[in-house]
Amino acid sequence: MQAPQQNHTTASAAQPTEPPRRSMKLAWRLFMAACAATLLLDFTQLRYGERIVESWWGFYGIFAFCACVGVAMAALLLRRLLLRPQDYYERGQDD
Amino acid sequence: MTDFMAILVGIPCWAWFLTASMAATVASGATRAMLLLGAPILGLLSVLATPFGNYLPFELYGLNLYAYRLDELSYPFLLAFNMAALIGGLYALRIEDKLQSAGALLYAASTMAVAGAGDLLSLIVAWEIMGISSAALIFARREAAATAAGLRYLMFQLGSGFLLICGAVGVVQLTGDARFDYIGINHSSGMLIFLAFGIKCGFPFLHNWISDGYPAATTSGIVFLSAFTTKAAIYAMTRAFPGTESLLYIGLAMAVLPMFYAIVEDDLRKVLAYSIISQMGFMLCGVATGLALGVNGAVAHAMNDIFFKGLLFMAIGVALQATGSSCRSGLGGLYRAMPITTTLCIIAAASISAVPFFSGYVSKTLIMDAVLQNGNVWVWYGLLLAAAGAPLYVGIKVPYFAFFAKPAKPTQAGGDPPWPLLAAMTLAATLCLLAGFLPQQLYALLPYSMEYDPYSGSHLLAQVQLLMFSALAFIWLQQRGLYPHSKAATMMDSDWFYRRLAPHLALSLAAGYNKMQNHIINLGGTTANKLRQLAPPHWLLPHWRPTGNNRAVALAVALLLLTALYLLPR
């Protein structure tokens, strides 16, 4: 009688971790779909050509993605150049 | 009520804060709380009751001066400063520290005096007090590291004040007029004032007092700091240097460069300090166009920035007080314990990322369009880069790592903070949402009247697409483990020049001087000993040893010798 009860409790303890992962996957898919939808909306006449890059399809999306990845990569490089130990300035004064 | 408002006409709003700050040096408990809330409420009513014009006229050295001016440009700033003081006062309501409450009130008074100064003399006085009183909010942390950061902060503030005095004297000599209006950079005095304002705007290489000083301040002090100095500097720039082309490129550099630091930085308060500089860059670009649209955009963005940045600092301050850390590596998962704080932080983050229907959007769009109208297409691309990066380095980063990400070690947080802190944050969040949903009400406060619809289909789609894809990039980078992160480390910034290079130079110079002194002393000693040999032995002159008084005597002898050698041939 006791053994199945134990099984039951372990199952319910494992449960809370299971649904978030599934819902995260769903949220991720929904988000991707929304991103795609904004690209599709570019085909409509919502934009009325007041900016130079208006005619380029998906300009803002592609620009934003590339810009963010580029900034992150540049920051990685910059970190390699400029990163010092936390007590860098304090240590400098003792020399 | 109308009788009461009639009494307030012509009273400068800073007078209430000045009185309150003097009282706050002795007041405590309920009295102190009343001072912190009473001054901004009375100040706000005074600004609303007073018609536009010049007040408090006085004459000095034959110059007609006005200590208080309320016009189209100072009005929105004074409104925002009073609201910020109210929010900051609420946030600091329960902090029993006379240095902080008196300092914050004096700081508020001087900032409003800057925005209300009608002449250069009043501006200088207010500018200096603003610099010094604000440092009190850093010193109030009462830690050795904060005191050191406060001194470095003070160095920049006093430097800015010094440049302003020099420039103002030149302008008065040049024009014979001390009114604080358009100055321009066509003459050297104008350049000095431009640089004085530039320091407080956080120009590149002069920005370190923001990223170094602000994170060292107290949790309530930083709410005042983030609202006042930089925005007063934007006011001064808008007044004196609209349409200056070089500002466009300075602003662009300020908008883009801090991103790289903010993205790597571990301390979220430092991330927010860098994001101040980035937003200041946008504002300066707006001022640089000189167009009504651009100046309006700069003013609107300054007003919005006061509230969303203040709210972000308040939310991180709450997390800091609850967990003892403001670092990405020491925070995380707080959303369960602090649902309200988390929601309010997300509102601020959405505002700074310029999500439609939040405050940042309605003002950033103005600046972007003004830059484009001015024909600066490449600057526009640069600003678009900074706008796309905003979610990456602050908009998603700060709420995600503070409240959602899995913490490195379990965090202990009791729950949402007590009511004054929640009230302060809610008030700021309400202003963020109001500006986003009712942009025309915000635009009505701006210096130039204009017809502008931020919610056209074109604008909306562009912005939504931009933000969706930068969020996508954030998630992608985070999943791949490519999002840069540095745990407990120092990123070298331009503070390297005065925190590393200058001390090392000074030390090696001192070592060189010591070496030279020793050489000179030896020269003196050898000369003295040679002279001794020349003298007859029965004089019993002592042998020279390089110790104590002998060293000083030898130095004097050597210097006399050198002087003599230098003078002899003539």
Side-chain angles (χ1 to χ4, degrees):
Chain A
M1 192 60 201
Q2 264 183 343
Q5 215 174 3
Q6 220 168 11
N7 264 342
H8 178 71
T9 49
T10 48
S12 67
Q15 234 175 11
T17 57
E18 205 55 35
R21 202 182 292 165
R22 215 180 296 153
S23 67
M24 278 305 281
K25 211 168 206 174
L26 181 71
W28 174 238
R29 279 191 188 148
L30 278 175
F31 182 71
M32 296 279 274
C35 286
T38 61
L39 284 183
L40 286 178
L41 274 175
D42 259 9
F43 285 120
T44 65
Q45 287 299 305
L46 263 175
R47 292 201 192 162
Y48 45 77
E50 78 185 38
R51 302 181 191 195
I52 318 118
V53 288
E54 220 55 51
S55 48
W56 303 358
W57 176 82
F59 166 76
Y60 287 98
I62 295 163
F63 181 90
F65 191 85
C66 296
C68 285
V69 173
V71 165
M73 294 301 115
L76 275 174
L77 197 73
L78 196 74
R79 186 182 67 164
R80 190 171 284 182
L81 286 174
L82 298 179
L83 204 72
R84 293 291 180 277
Q86 194 171 28
D87 59 347
Y88 174 64
Y89 289 120
E90 286 77 24
R91 212 194 287 172
Q93 283 160 12
D94 297 337
D95 290 353
Chain B
M1 190 67 194
T2 46
D3 289 345
F4 178 64
M5 292 292 267
I7 297 170
L8 295 175
V9 172
I11 297 180
C13 54
W14 47 259
W16 300 111
F17 285 89
L18 195 63
T19 319
S21 77
M22 285 175 200
T25 52
V26 287
S28 61
T31 326
R32 191 189 48 81
M34 264 172 59
L35 291 172
L36 277 174
L37 298 184
I41 291 171
L42 285 170
L44 207 57
L45 291 176
S46 303
V47 174
L48 291 172
T50 308
F52 288 174
N54 291 324
Y55 299 90
L56 304 184
F58 65 105
E59 207 185 304
L60 205 67
Y61 310 124
L63 297 166
N64 292 318
L65 309 173
Y66 298 97
Y68 187 54
R69 165 176 56 185
L70 196 65
D71 65 0
E72 290 82 3
L73 186 57
S74 58
Y75 177 70
F77 279 95
L78 287 173
L79 280 184
F81 286 151
N82 275 291
M83 281 309 285
L86 183 61
I87 290 169
L90 263 175
Y91 195 77
L93 204 62
R94 295 213 173 151
I95 296 168
E96 278 294 343
D97 181 358
K98 292 195 174 75
L99 176 64
Q100 275 196 64
S101 35
L105 284 166
L106 184 62
Y107 180 28
S110 55
T111 310
M112 288 168 206
V114 165
D119 63 85
L120 289 168
L121 188 73
S122 317
L123 180 75
I124 289 169
V125 173
W127 197 258
E128 295 285 357
I129 299 175
M130 179 170 80
I132 296 165
S133 59
S134 58
L137 299 173
I138 300 176
F139 292 131
R141 188 86 171 265
R142 296 183 174 86
E143 289 169 11
T147 307
L151 287 172
R152 290 193 294 270
Y153 169 90
L154 208 52
M155 178 178 83
F156 278 94
Q157 303 302 313
L158 296 179
S160 165
F162 176 70
L163 289 175
L164 179 61
I165 292 173
C166 297
V169 169
V171 166
V172 172
Q173 274 188 338
L174 204 71
T175 61
D177 190 6
R179 265 180 311 178
F180 178 37
D181 274 313
Y182 179 81
I183 295 171
I185 54 168
N186 299 327
H187 43 85
S188 56
S189 309
M191 282 294 288
L192 286 177
I193 297 181
F194 184 71
L195 208 58
F197 293 168
I199 290 177
K200 293 216 187 189
C201 282
F203 274 12
F205 294 101
L206 301 173
H207 66 277
N208 257 123
W209 58 275
I210 299 178
S211 56
D212 177 34
Y214 282 12
T218 61
T219 49
S220 58
I222 203 166
V223 181
F224 289 96
L225 285 167
S226 76
F228 287 154
T229 304
T230 47
K231 309 309 173 297
I234 278 290
Y235 163 79
M237 274 293 184
T238 315
R239 174 74 74 187
F241 302 101
T244 306
E245 205 199 341
S246 54
L247 263 186
L248 204 61
Y249 305 105
I250 295 171
L252 177 63
M254 282 168 63
V256 174
L257 295 180
M259 280 202 301
F260 300 102
Y261 281 90
I263 202 170
V264 176
E265 194 52 59
D266 186 44
D267 185 350
L268 294 181
R269 300 214 304 170
K270 218 163 194 174
V271 170
L272 293 177
Y274 275 116
S275 84
I276 292 181
I277 304 171
S278 182
Q279 301 303 320
M280 292 291 291
F282 276 92
M283 294 170 215
L284 287 180
C285 284
V287 175
T289 61
L291 302 173
L293 192 65
V295 171
N296 272 354
V299 175
H301 205 52
M303 293 174 81
N304 289 336
D305 188 77
I306 286 174
F307 302 117
F308 61 62
K309 198 63 55 62
L311 181 49
L312 282 168
F313 273 120
M314 286 192 276
I316 295 301
V318 166
L320 170 65
Q321 276 172 339
T323 64
S325 169
S326 62
C327 291
R328 178 186 150 174
S329 44
L331 288 173
L334 292 172
Y335 75 99
R336 278 180 217 276
M338 309 177 164
I340 305 175
T341 310
T342 309
T343 314
L344 295 170
C345 182
I346 290 174
I347 292 175
S351 300
I352 196 173
S353 306
V355 174
F357 302 104
F358 290 89
S359 63
Y361 172 75
V362 300
S363 46
K364 217 181 242 181
T365 323
L366 289 179
I367 295 173
M368 299 288 283
D369 275 1
V371 169
L372 210 53
Q373 263 187 30
N374 206 34
N376 307 101
V377 182
W378 288 105
V379 176
W380 182 81
Y381 277 116
L383 290 182
L384 195 66
L385 177 76
L392 191 70
Y393 74 82
V394 55
I396 301 176
K397 176 175 179 168
V398 169
Y400 176 73
F401 289 118
F403 296 103
F404 292 103
K406 209 173 159 206
K409 54 179 191 288
T411 46
Q412 298 283 324
D416 276 312
W419 75 265
L421 284 77
L422 278 184
M425 292 197 286
T426 312
L427 186 55
T430 312
L431 291 168
C432 289
L433 289 170
L434 275 179
F437 277 96
L438 304 168
Q440 299 307 332
Q441 256 68 13
L442 174 71
Y443 294 163
L445 299 173
L446 300 178
Y448 300 102
S449 60
M450 60 172 183
E451 299 255 325
Y452 188 85
D453 177 22
Y455 292 122
S456 70
S458 174
H459 274 131
L460 269 178
L461 179 61
Q463 188 65 14
V464 168
Q465 201 178 79
L466 191 80
L467 293 174
M468 294 281 272
F469 276 84
S470 53
L472 189 73
F474 179 87
I475 298 168
W476 185 77
L477 288 164
Q478 183 67 14
Q479 279 180 348
R480 288 272 182 291
L482 286 172
Y483 192 88
H485 178 219
S486 54
K487 212 184 218 173
T490 305
M491 277 287 278
M492 290 195 299
D493 197 345
S494 54
D495 54 353
W496 180 82
F497 288 104
Y498 58 88
R499 292 181 73 182
R500 185 85 183 184
L501 182 67
H504 276 235
L505 270 182
L507 281 177
S508 44
L509 273 180
Y513 173 75
N514 264 339
K515 222 172 179 178
M516 196 181 73
Q517 201 189 21
N518 282 337
H519 279 304
I520 293 173
I521 287 169
N522 281 336
L523 177 70
T526 333
T527 318
N529 285 337
K530 283 261 160 61
L531 288 172
R532 180 177 163 275
Q533 283 170 2
L534 289 177
H538 64 267
W539 283 14
L540 292 175
L541 285 175
H543 189 81
W544 181 77
R545 277 172 224 90
T547 50
N549 284 339
N550 283 345
R551 269 174 78 91
V553 174
L555 188 65
V557 170
L559 286 177
L560 274 173
L561 198 68
L562 288 175
T563 320
L565 281 176
Y566 177 73
L567 291 175
L568 269 179
R570 282 135 223 240

